């Protein structure tokens, strides 16, 4: 009998645990360990940050759903991974041993990189978790009662730019709805990207044009190639650099309410494992999602190391988006199954295709990058009201999938295959054109 443990029950961990259970016969055990006892649909957190969604609408308790499928669930934080002994030490001191481990622990938010930027320290909020988004909503309500300057954007080293654009545009739309947009003395977007719409992937389709026009239409002032040095006494201290990375100017912006996506790192329990990770605490994996050092450890999602796509004047990272994460998970599950069933030579690769819907308040922007990292076969960024509606539908669909325990229903697989989008390399048909 083999015991497979999935660590972290987020966008990657939940599909992983269902797929693993489905892949293995009943004699094998599958355990899910996660710090929280609930699942949250992270892409909806920007809506929570303006009160368009509540926690109840985008979360659900994990236990009944996974236990129904014969999966053991432990709601605890992993404090340490003893990779040589193949054991995990939990917060209560108990140990869980594994034959195979899939790490899907997501990001550690490195607020410590910028003094004063933690949501509990000052005006800069986060929407990275539902807890943060609820706190952001409280601060936003205080802003509505007593309006002041807004700053949003992306910190140096960040790799998840999309939600910063989303939240900026959603806040702008919400202010307009409330008739308060003209009460905001300044609204700025400060980003480490070398140009608007770079998104950590050298842009996709016309992301630069669409996002620049969107911010301009909302009267948002844009600052690129910026590093936030500190947030203090209602001011953001910023350094802007030129293309060579040399300082162009330093300046301050007043801020009463803000949201900046921080740089991500790996979580401590994972980062501390000797030889497992890079210097940022992300797991070093091969093309089959397997750890370079520990053959019984696999990793997927934000937890893995992906090099930046290019050197930018202020460091930026490559994002790990939802469909890409699901493709990593499916590959990891296939490879563990092959190992357990004695087919060790059979190894599968995820396609790392990126399909993403970003909400912009009243409309939305969708991108398809096949694969996410250049060179690409498909490179498309489109916007319209339909994307806003598609994102709302996708939220309901993904939550339903994670409750019912089917990671990739046949109709989803079929629909994506029709568009030439698959999770695994071996499923890929001849290249098709999407225009
Ligand atoms: C605000 C926001 C919006 C986004 N929107 C989109 C979008 O619209 N489309 C898209 O494609 N991508 C989006 N992304 C990017 C990405 O898809 C998400 O961040 C996604 O949730 C990452 O999945 P993950 O499984 O790697 O990590 P997560 O979903 O963050 O899951 C990590 C899990 O690990 C658990 N964990 C962490 N440490 C431990 C520990 N020590 N012990 C036990 N459990 C632990 C956490 O509690 C959590 O359950 C968004 C990201 C953010 C931050």
């Amino acid at each position: 009998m083999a015991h497979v443990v999935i660590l972290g029950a987020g966008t990657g961990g939940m599909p992983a645990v269902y797929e693993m259970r489905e892949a293995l016969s009943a004699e094998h055990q599958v355990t899910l360990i996660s710090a929280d006892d609930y699942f949250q649909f992270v892409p909806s957190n920007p809506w929570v940050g303006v009160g368009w969604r509540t926690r109840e609408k985008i979360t659900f308790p994990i236990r009944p759903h996974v236990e129904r499928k014969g999966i053991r669930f432990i709601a605890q934080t992993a404090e340490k991974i003893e990779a040589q002994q193949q054991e995990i030490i939990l917060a209560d001191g108990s140990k869980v041993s594994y034959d195979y481990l899939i790490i899907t622990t997501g990001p550690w938010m490195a607020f410590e990189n910028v003094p004063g930027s933690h949501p509990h320290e000052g005006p800069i909020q986060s929407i990275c978790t539902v807890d943060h988004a609820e706190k952001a909503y409280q601060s936003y309500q205080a802003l509505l009662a007593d309006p002041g300057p807004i700053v949003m954007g992306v910190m140096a080293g960040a790799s998840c730019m999309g939600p910063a654009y989303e939240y900026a545009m959603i806040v702008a739309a919400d202010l307009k709805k409330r008739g308060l947009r003209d009460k905001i003395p300044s609204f700025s977007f400060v980003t480490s990207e070398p140009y608007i719409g770079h998104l950590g992937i050298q842009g996709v389709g016309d992301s630069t044009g669409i996002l620049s026009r969107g911010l301009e239409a909302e009267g948002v002032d844009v600052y690129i190639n910026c590093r936030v040095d500190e947030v203090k006494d209602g001011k953001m201290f910023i350094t802007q650099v030129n293309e060579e990375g040399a300082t162009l100017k330093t300046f301050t912006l007043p801020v009463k309410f803000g949201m900046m996506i921080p740089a991500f790192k790996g979580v401590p329990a994972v980062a501390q494992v000797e030889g497992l990770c890079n210097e940022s605490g992300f797991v070093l994996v091969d093309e089959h999602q397997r750890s370079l050092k520990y053959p019984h450890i696999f990793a997927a999602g934000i937890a893995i190391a992906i090099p930046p796509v290019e050197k930018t004047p202020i460091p930026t990272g490559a994002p790990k988006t939802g469909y890409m994460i699901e493709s990593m998970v499916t590959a990891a599950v296939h490879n563990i199954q092959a190992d357990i069933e004695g087919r060790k030579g059979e190894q599968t690769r995820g396609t790392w295709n990126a399909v993403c819907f970003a909400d912009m308040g009243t409309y939305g922007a969708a991108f398809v990058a096949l694969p996410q990292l250049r060179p690409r076969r498909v490179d498309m960024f489109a916007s319209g009201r339909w994307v806003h509606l598609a994102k709302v539908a996708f939220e309901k669909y993904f939550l339903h999938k994670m409750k019912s325990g089917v990671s990739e229903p046949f109709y989803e697989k079929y629909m994506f295959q029709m568009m030439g989008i698959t999770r695994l390399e071996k499923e890929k048909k001849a290249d098709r054109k999407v225009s």
Side-chain angles (χ1 to χ4, degrees):
M1 194 227 27
H3 183 204
V4 184
V5 172
I6 285 92
L7 186 60
T11 305
M14 285 294 281
V17 80
Y18 288 130
E19 286 184 37
M20 201 71 250
R21 183 61 284 167
E22 179 87 22
L24 297 178
S25 57
E27 63 181 309
H28 304 294
Q29 199 187 352
V30 179
T31 300
L32 175 64
I33 300 175
S34 201
D36 299 313
D37 62 2
Y38 58 87
F39 172 80
Q40 60 179 292
F41 185 64
V42 172
S44 293
N45 286 335
W47 287 331
V48 174
V50 288
W52 291 2
R53 285 289 183 285
T54 58
R55 168 186 287 267
E56 293 67 37
K57 289 276 182 228
I58 65 151
T59 62
F60 65 82
I62 292 170
R63 187 176 299 283
H65 299 283
V66 298
E67 284 187 349
R68 211 179 53 222
K69 294 269 174 185
I71 295 158
R72 181 175 165 225
F73 178 55
I74 302 172
Q76 276 203 57
T77 301
E79 295 288 335
K80 206 170 175 200
I81 300 170
E82 300 279 12
Q84 299 290 358
Q85 290 85 1
Q86 297 185 200
E87 269 177 359
I88 298 167
I89 300 169
L90 301 177
D92 69 356
S94 60
K95 290 181 181 176
V96 177
S97 55
Y98 60 84
D99 296 299
Y100 287 91
L101 170 64
I102 306 182
I103 295 173
T104 45
T105 39
W108 171 264
M109 285 139 255
F111 300 116
E112 66 273 15
N113 286 2
V114 183
S117 70
H118 193 285
H120 290 288
E121 285 176 308
I124 303 303
Q125 300 301 310
S126 156
I127 44 153
C128 291
T129 67
V130 67
D131 290 343
H132 288 168
E134 282 190 317
K135 178 154 186 321
Y137 182 42
Q138 282 172 13
S139 299
Y140 180 59
Q141 284 172 298
L143 176 92
L144 297 176
D146 182 15
I150 297 178
V151 183
M152 308 240 168
V154 180
M155 295 293 193
S159 51
C160 187
M161 288 81 177
Y165 289 99
E166 278 192 288
Y167 193 54
M169 299 296 283
I170 288 169
V171 165
D174 191 71
L175 286 168
K176 264 209 257 179
K177 239 197 232 169
R178 293 173 192 268
L180 288 174
R181 177 63 185 89
D182 60 340
K183 300 279 180 286
I184 302 298
S186 61
F187 194 147
S188 310
F189 191 85
V190 176
T191 179
S192 49
E193 294 160 284
Y195 47 87
I196 290 297
H198 179 277
L199 302 171
I201 49 171
Q202 296 174 309
V204 48
D206 186 27
S207 55
T208 298
I210 290 173
L211 293 173
S212 301
R213 287 192 293 276
L215 291 169
E216 197 185 343
E218 297 300 340
V220 177
D221 302 318
V222 165
Y223 302 87
I224 56 166
N225 277 330
C226 285
R227 181 184 64 236
V228 178
D229 298 314
E230 192 176 7
V231 183
K232 200 174 162 188
D233 302 331
K235 288 197 190 84
M236 186 179 270
F237 294 80
I238 301 160
T239 300
Q240 189 171 40
V241 304
N242 65 15
E243 280 175 14
E244 280 72 49
T247 300
L248 267 181
K249 61 173 178 175
T250 56
F251 62 105
T252 60
L253 287 175
V255 52
K256 174 117 200 238
F257 171 71
M259 196 294 298
M260 299 290 293
I261 297 287
F264 288 166
K265 292 181 182 167
V267 304
V270 173
Q272 285 156 12
V273 180
E274 202 266 311
L276 181 70
C277 298
N278 68 7
E279 66 288 350
S280 300
F282 294 122
V283 182
L284 294 159
V285 291
D286 67 13
E287 58 187 5
H288 306 119
Q289 308 301 136
R290 194 188 293 262
S291 154
L292 297 183
K293 179 163 170 111
Y294 301 99
H296 292 253
I297 296 182
F298 290 70
I302 290 186
I304 73 160
I306 298 181
V309 297
E310 63 174 340
K311 190 172 178 316
T312 47
I314 300 279
T316 53
K320 297 138 195 175
T321 50
Y323 191 82
M324 180 188 187
I325 293 171
E326 289 185 81
S327 95
M328 295 179 196
V329 158
T330 302
V333 166
H334 273 240
N335 294 331
I336 292 173
Q337 182 189 14
D339 270 21
I340 290 173
E341 293 176 355
R343 295 179 281 110
K344 283 198 193 244
E346 258 184 61
Q347 295 288 286
T348 309
R349 267 198 292 157
T351 50
W352 292 23
N353 284 332
V355 185
C356 204
F357 299 126
D359 185 49
M360 301 287 159
T362 50
Y363 68 106
F367 79 77
V368 182
L370 308 183
Q372 174 161 295
L373 306 183
R374 287 179 189 276
R376 299 188 187 124
R377 288 175 293 121
V378 181
D379 190 56
M380 186 198 86
F381 195 92
S383 66
R385 170 99 184 127
W386 67 271
V387 188
H388 171 76
L389 299 172
K391 180 135 188 172
V392 172
F394 184 69
E395 173 197 59
K396 312 269 175 281
Y397 173 66
F398 198 87
L399 282 165
H400 169 73
K401 263 198 335 178
M402 291 306 105
K403 284 181 182 169
S404 63
V406 183
S407 165
E408 191 184 26
F410 73 91
Y411 45 85
E412 175 185 319
K413 190 168 179 165
Y414 180 71
M415 193 185 77
F416 276 125
Q417 266 177 2
M418 299 250 294
M419 295 189 278
I421 303 168
T422 58
R423 289 193 188 182
L424 298 180
E425 278 295 339
K426 66 177 185 186
E427 294 170 358
K428 205 166 68 190
K429 299 258 169 30
D431 290 358
R432 286 153 209 243
K433 268 210 148 154
V434 176
S435 54

